[in-house]
Amino acid sequence: QKEVEQDPGPLSVPEGAIVSLNCTYSNSAFQYFMWYRQYSRKGPELLMYTYSSGNKEDGRFTAQVDKSSKYISLFIRDSQPSDSATYLCAISGLNAGGTSYGKLTFGQGTILTVHP
Amino acid sequence: AAGVIQSPRHLIKEKRETATLKCYPIPRHDTVYWYQQGPGQDPQFLISFYEKMQSDKGSIPDRFSAQQFSDYHSELNMSSLELGDSALYFCASSWTSGSINIQYFGAGTRLSVL
């Protein structure tokens, strides 16, 4: 079982729809939660990060973390065709030496297509 | 704003050849990470360096090695290339202040092994 499981999709929605993307994780030591957007053949682009349970909003994007359920979500309001991309949740925890927060563990990614 | 720079963008090699990938982190970032992303897969962590010392190691084959230099750029050296090494290789950098670890990714190097 992967440490981070992401609803694989793909998702296809009409322009203006609300999109919900979800991940679960198994390791309670994970402390930082991020969402990246990746366009085809490009590097992952950081959308949002958070380190506490609750909601964090940035424009049309809301990241939600529930540490008790080990569940994270990303909501996109008023989706646009330019939002069409692969969305990756990524979670970070302490490195092997316990000295710093290191590697990111990614979900499998969800391909989102927003139709005009 | 300056971003993470990776070179080359594309690389074609034959089996059993060697390859060197370069990464130039965002200025003042002190940590570099390398990830491998196979077709249709999520990025997998390979190795990281903090202040030029290896800080963490993931599923990196023994045929691969990496280092971070005094100017903080990093190189990933890959020897005895295999067909399965064909992938996108990403470098990310962060400024590890306290426990915050926000990683910014480069555009990647696409390696094709023929």
Side-chain angles (χ1 to χ4, degrees):
Chain A
Q1 183 186 3
K2 283 175 65 75
E3 286 188 291
V4 180
E5 297 277 359
Q6 182 171 355
D7 290 348
L11 285 178
S12 181
V13 302
E15 184 174 355
I18 297 174
V19 176
S20 172
L21 305 164
N22 307 292
C23 289
T24 58
Y25 62 96
S26 57
N27 187 348
S28 58
F30 284 137
Q31 295 289 329
Y32 290 89
F33 309 91
M34 282 143 280
W35 285 95
Y36 284 85
R37 177 174 61 194
Q38 187 175 24
Y39 294 109
S40 181
R41 297 174 178 264
K42 303 286 187 183
E45 171 194 7
L46 180 67
L47 278 177
M48 299 189 71
Y49 75 91
T50 184
Y51 49 86
S52 58
S53 283
N55 293 350
K56 181 177 181 180
E57 191 172 316
D58 184 1
R60 298 184 294 110
F61 299 90
T62 298
Q64 189 174 80
V65 174
D66 182 347
K67 286 188 175 182
S68 62
S69 302
K70 300 187 182 68
Y71 191 86
I72 66 173
S73 299
L74 178 71
F75 299 96
I76 307 174
R77 291 183 301 280
D78 187 24
S79 56
Q80 303 294 310
S82 58
D83 294 329
S84 298
T86 298
Y87 288 80
L88 295 153
C89 62
I91 305 180
S92 176
L94 281 171
N95 67 347
T99 54
S100 69
Y101 290 89
K103 68 175 184 178
L104 294 179
T105 301
F106 286 88
Q108 300 95 316
T110 301
I111 298 173
L112 171 67
T113 303
V114 181
H115 298 286
Chain B
V4 177
I5 306 296
Q6 289 187 249
S7 68
R9 290 297 311 278
H10 304 275
L11 194 55
I12 299 175
K13 291 287 184 179
E14 304 259 337
K15 280 174 54 178
R16 291 180 289 277
E17 286 191 323
T18 61
T20 297
L21 280 55
K22 296 185 178 182
C23 169
Y24 297 86
I26 292 172
R28 290 186 292 281
H29 279 194
D30 53 17
T31 307
V32 167
Y33 308 82
W34 286 97
Y35 293 85
Q36 178 191 57
Q37 187 175 30
Q41 306 204 346
D42 54 285
Q44 295 292 314
F45 172 73
L46 293 176
I47 196 167
S48 63
F49 293 87
Y50 169 68
E51 286 290 345
K52 292 154 279 185
M53 298 289 290
Q54 181 180 309
S55 54
D56 203 355
K57 193 173 181 179
S59 50
I60 182 170
D62 291 341
R63 299 178 288 108
F64 293 8
S65 65
Q67 58 182 324
Q68 187 179 31
F69 295 86
S70 57
D71 64 352
Y72 291 93
H73 94 272
S74 178
E75 294 184 4
L76 177 66
N77 298 292
M78 310 160 70
S79 62
S80 302
L81 287 170
E82 301 174 357
L83 296 178
D85 296 329
S86 297
L88 264 173
Y89 290 84
F90 290 110
C91 172
S93 73
S94 70
W95 180 51
T96 307
S97 169
S99 58
I100 301 295
N101 174 33
I102 305 302
Q103 296 182 30
Y104 297 88
F105 284 75
T109 294
R110 180 172 294 278
L111 173 66
S112 298
V113 181
L114 306 179

